[in-house]
Amino acid sequence: MPPRATRPRITRQVRIDHRSAVHLAVRAAREAAEEAGLPGALPEKAAVLASELATNLHKHAVDGVLYLQPLPLDHGVEVVAADRGPGIGSVDAALTDGFTTSGTLGTGLGAIRRIATDLSIRTGPTGTLVAARLTMPGTAPVAAGAVGTVCLPAGPQEQGARHEDLACGDAAAVVETEAGRTAVLIDGLGHGPAAAEAAGSAMTAFLAAPGAPLSPLMTALHDALRRTRGAAVALLRNAGGTMEFCATGNVRLVLADGQRARGGPQGPPGIVGYNLPRPVVHRLPATAAGVWVLHTDGIDAAWSRDPAPFLLRLPPSLLAPALAHRHRHDRDDAAAIALAP
């Protein structure tokens, strides 16, 4: 009997479009921390992070959204706030306890900085992104800011929906192996429970041997997906100065170097689990500058043809959720991975 499919990790999304959404964000953050296995008071600390960020979005921002999810490499959670403006005039001032622009106490970002293990903020007139991460006490994030992921099911998530009730046919993971940091991006055909089953089967096969050479690894995923509807799959590995890439189907690789976004090699047409072409591994120089981005077709590929300068300057931990917030197709599952070389 084949192993039971791994349930892909799904990013919780809470749109802060009403004051009551703050309470939904608090509950979602607490649940995400508990599911990540954070002990003691850490789930309540995650709830505080969500409360402060959601309250700021409600009071000051346009089109504010919170994304809540497990950290891709560390044992913990992150709460990412994204909006479309008007931006923070002075981040240093906003991080000072007592700062306020609306007559409130103004301790929000100061409290977040004290509670979070790691905090990243980027802001401009077109919007602000804040990522607050929470990990086990005494452990620094393994890759603070160097990895970002997002994985969202099709359609608007029901505000406050239980995590187990959400089904996503896209999946993303990043694993440290002896062969190098390795990422997998999976796009199960269609969306809904059947696509989620395919994504879970592929994820199970990947996690069984994430350090295997990419060509045999792609073949292993193909074998695991034979009894499912199949998927498009991309594998990316930082192998000591060289980026190895192997893909099949409609997934995209983009290098954002701070000045422009350049498309990488494309995977040949095919469906992993149904008609896998011969896997081809591309080897690309792992330049010191830039961010490697993998994304499914739930993210509009047009973002890389004329990217906003604000996007190009984001660290990986903020770039993945920014792409989801600004360039997602709501009617399809969407997933993205951003990696620093």
Side-chain angles (χ1 to χ4, degrees), residues 31-92:
E31 291 174 352
E34 290 171 347
E35 290 173 6
L38 292 182
L42 291 182
E44 291 306 316
K45 290 186 176 182
V48 173
L49 293 176
S51 176
E52 297 292 353
L53 288 171
T55 298
N56 282 341
L57 290 175
H58 171 64
K59 291 181 177 179
H60 304 295
V62 175
D63 190 22
V65 175
L66 281 193
Y67 299 113
L68 308 104
Q69 60 190 356
L71 290 170
L73 285 175
D74 301 300
H75 186 48
V77 295
E78 68 177 352
V79 182
V80 181
D83 64 56
R84 294 183 183 270
I88 301 173
S90 170
V91 172
D92 289 339

Side-chain angles (χ1 to χ4, degrees), residues 9 11 69-80 118-120 122 130-135 141-151 172-177 180-185 206 236-238 243 290-294 314-323 336-341:
R9 294 179 173 183
T11 304
Q69 60 190 356
L71 290 170
L73 285 175
D74 301 300
H75 186 48
V77 295
E78 68 177 352
V79 182
V80 181
D118 181 75
L119 180 65
S120 299
R122 298 292 187 275
V130 181
R133 302 169 202 88
L134 193 62
T135 58
V142 174
V147 180
T149 63
V150 68
C151 190
V174 184
V175 178
E176 295 282 13
T177 74
R181 183 173 294 166
T182 305
V184 62
L185 190 73
F206 170 77
L236 181 67
R237 172 175 292 154
N238 188 338
M243 301 300 293
V291 177
W292 296 88
V293 180
L294 288 172
L314 293 175
S317 58
L318 296 178
L319 180 54
L323 290 176
I337 300 173
L339 296 172

Side-chain angles (χ1 to χ4, degrees), residues 111-311:
I112 291 168
R113 181 171 60 176
R114 290 194 305 273
I115 294 171
T117 308
D118 181 75
L119 180 65
S120 299
I121 303 174
R122 298 292 187 275
T123 189
T126 60
T128 297
L129 289 131
V130 181
R133 302 169 202 88
L134 193 62
T135 58
M136 289 287 199
T139 62
V142 174
V147 180
T149 63
V150 68
C151 190
L152 294 161
Q157 296 185 49
E158 182 180 346
Q159 294 280 61
R162 295 183 304 172
H163 194 232
E164 57 267 27
D165 292 336
L166 299 172
C168 186
D170 286 5
V174 184
V175 178
E176 295 282 13
T177 74
E178 291 185 359
R181 183 173 294 166
T182 305
V184 62
L185 190 73
I186 304 160
D187 185 353
L189 266 63
H191 50 80
E197 179 187 3
S201 296
M203 187 62 71
T204 298
F206 170 77
L207 294 176
L214 296 193
S215 180
L217 184 53
M218 182 68 77
T219 301
L221 269 64
H222 175 66
D223 292 339
L225 285 170
R226 287 185 184 276
R227 296 187 178 182
T228 73
R229 62 170 54 182
V233 175
L235 299 165
L236 181 67
R237 172 175 292 154
N238 188 338
T242 300
M243 301 300 293
E244 297 179 349
F245 176 67
C246 182
T248 298
N250 190 18
V251 286
R252 288 182 58 83
L253 173 66
V254 176
L255 174 61
D257 64 6
Q259 301 296 323
R260 59 177 179 163
R262 294 175 288 168
Q266 294 183 336
I271 301 173
V272 181
Y274 177 63
N275 60 341
L276 179 71
R278 182 178 65 86
V280 175
V281 178
H282 301 271
R283 291 175 173 83
L284 309 166
T287 59
V291 177
W292 296 88
V293 180
L294 288 172
H295 67 81
T296 65
D297 59 2
I299 304 292
D300 191 343
W303 80 267
S304 62
R305 292 196 284 270
D306 186 23
F310 180 75
L311 279 179

